[in-house]
Amino acid sequence: AAHAAAATGTPVVLLRRPGWRAGPGDDWHPVGSLPEAADLLPGLGDRVFLTTGRLGLAAFAHLSGLHFVVRSVEPPDPPLPPDTRLLRDRGPFTVADETALLREHRVDVLVTKDSGGAATAAKLTAARDLGLPVVVVRRPPLPDGVPVVPDVPTALERLARLDGLDGLGPRPR
C-alpha cells in the first residue's frame, strides 16, 4: 500500500496501535516470524494456545508431539498442525474468559502476534497470572516515509487536514 500510494501520489496514513510491552512477571520470548515461533515451541511447552490468526497456521503444521488450541472466527485452511483443537469464537475476551480457556485446555504456552491495543491484551494478562511463557511475534518494520498514527481519532484528524477530506466535500477554490 505504501508503494502504491507513493507511485500514485496518494496521501497515506498508517494506523498502528502502540505495541505491547512486557511487564513485571511476564515471560516473553520475542521472535521475528511465525516460523521462528514454531522453532521455539518444542522447548517451551506441549500444549499451545495459538492466536496468530488463521492464515499463518501452516508455519506450525510440521510440529508433531504438541497439542494446539487454535481460536479463529473463520475456519482455517489446511495445513494445520496434526493435533489441533479448533475453537470458533470472536472477541473481545476478558481476562476471566482467557484464564478459564487456558485452564480448561491445560495450555502451557501462548503464541500471539503483537497486534497492540488493550482489547486483545486479556490473553497476555491471563498468561502472566498463570505463569505461562508467551511467544510474541514482532511486527514487521514500518515502511519508510509513511506517517504513523496510534488510533482512529488521530487518523481521522490527520485525514481531515488533507484537502477535500474534511467531511464537507471539496473546498471552493
Side-chain angles (χ1 to χ4, degrees):
H3 293 292
T8 61
T10 304
V12 64
V13 174
L14 176 63
L15 172 60
R16 188 169 181 168
R17 297 180 295 222
W20 297 322
R21 298 199 185 280
D26 285 328
D27 180 13
W28 284 14
H29 302 264
V31 295
S33 68
L34 293 174
E36 284 181 49
D39 289 345
L40 192 60
L41 279 179
L44 292 177
D46 297 323
R47 300 185 62 83
V48 181
F49 184 30
L50 190 56
T51 66
T52 57
R54 68 183 184 91
L55 299 178
L57 299 179
F60 302 88
H62 68 284
L63 294 172
S64 59
L66 301 178
H67 173 74
F68 288 86
V69 176
V70 174
R71 180 171 60 204
S72 179
V73 174
E74 299 295 327
D77 293 328
L80 302 176
D83 184 1
T84 298
R85 168 86 190 267
L86 179 62
L87 307 175
R88 300 270 312 274
D89 207 352
R90 178 186 307 270
F93 303 99
T94 66
V95 173
D97 294 334
E98 300 292 52
T99 301
L101 182 145
L102 294 171
R103 285 185 172 144
E104 176 185 346
H105 295 278
R106 300 184 329 274
V107 168
D108 55 14
V109 61
L110 167 66
V111 180
T112 191
K113 290 181 180 176
D114 179 2
S115 60
T120 55
K123 61 189 164 198
L124 298 172
T125 301
R128 177 189 315 121
D129 292 348
L130 295 172
L132 303 181
V134 179
V135 179
V136 179
V137 181
R138 291 185 302 266
R139 296 169 175 199
L142 293 169
D144 290 333
V146 174
V148 179
V149 296
D151 54 44
V152 171
T154 306
L156 293 173
E157 179 183 304
R158 182 80 177 246
L159 291 172
R161 290 195 308 253
L162 297 173
D163 189 37
L165 296 177
D166 61 3
L168 303 176
R171 293 187 181 137
R173 302 262 180 224

